[in-house]
Amino acid sequence: MVDFESCVSICALDGPDSKCADISFTNSIAAGCVTAGFVVPGHDCGDADTQTKFRGNVAHSVLGSGANIFPDVTGNDHNTCYEGSHFSAYKVTFAGLSTNFPGMEQRMSNMVMADNVLGVSLIITGNKEKAFMVLKDSDIYGETEALDCPGGKHAC
């Protein structure tokens, strides 16, 4: 991935021989970015509660995505599963959170998305017999009623 117009890009240009490891980016704000607030590697599956790799960050007023979270080439088997967690985005013109990367499983959790044009965009690329995406323990807010609200379960 190459994204020269994000506010924060961590290890996005590294390949399989990456020396980019042990980097933490926490409790920061990216605002007014051109294409993305953050372009960052995910963390190992199952580490959401304890990870400090990318945590507590906020993107707002971005002309693209809030965060693009991609599989970390130095992570533990991110070709099979990777995760992103504890991130917030508001008032971005694309998705507050987006993925579009190869893999079999993507897990995203503990996210807050508010008033983003496209909400959340989770995509798994490639030819996979099975692909699995999870978004859990997250809140998504918008300014208008959802036209496809599941009847009786929620007030959308």
Side-chain angles (χ1 to χ4, degrees):
M1 168 185 286
V2 179
D3 196 334
F4 295 108
E5 295 179 338
S6 63
C7 280
V8 177
S9 181
I10 300 173
C11 305
L13 300 176
D14 289 342
D17 298 326
S18 176
K19 304 283 188 267
C20 187
D22 298 323
I23 294 176
S24 293
F25 201 85
T26 60
N27 302 319
S28 297
I29 298 172
C33 312
V34 178
T35 61
F38 299 93
V39 178
V40 295
H43 53 81
D44 294 344
C45 282
D47 288 352
D49 291 339
T50 58
Q51 68 90 11
T52 58
K53 185 178 224 174
F54 180 73
R55 186 183 192 96
N57 298 297
V58 177
H60 72 85
S61 305
V62 176
L63 293 175
S65 295
N68 296 327
I69 301 176
F70 60 88
D72 187 351
V73 296
T74 64
N76 183 20
D77 198 17
H78 283 212
N79 288 328
T80 302
C81 181
Y82 79 98
E83 192 166 355
S85 64
H86 299 89
F87 171 71
S88 299
Y90 64 95
K91 301 285 185 190
V92 304
T93 61
F94 188 60
L97 166 67
S98 62
T99 65
N100 190 0
F101 304 100
M104 293 175 61
E105 183 173 346
Q106 296 174 1
R107 300 179 190 174
M108 302 293 152
S109 65
N110 300 288
M111 306 286 187
V112 177
M113 304 289 128
D115 294 334
N116 301 311
V117 173
L118 296 177
V120 174
S121 176
L122 303 179
I123 301 170
I124 294 177
T125 62
N127 293 326
K128 301 289 182 192
E129 195 170 306
K130 291 183 180 182
F132 189 67
M133 294 174 281
V134 175
L135 176 65
K136 67 178 189 173
D137 300 326
S138 297
D139 297 306
I140 302 171
Y141 302 97
E143 292 181 354
T144 62
E145 289 185 29
L147 299 177
D148 59 351
C149 185
K153 291 186 177 185
H154 307 283
C156 296

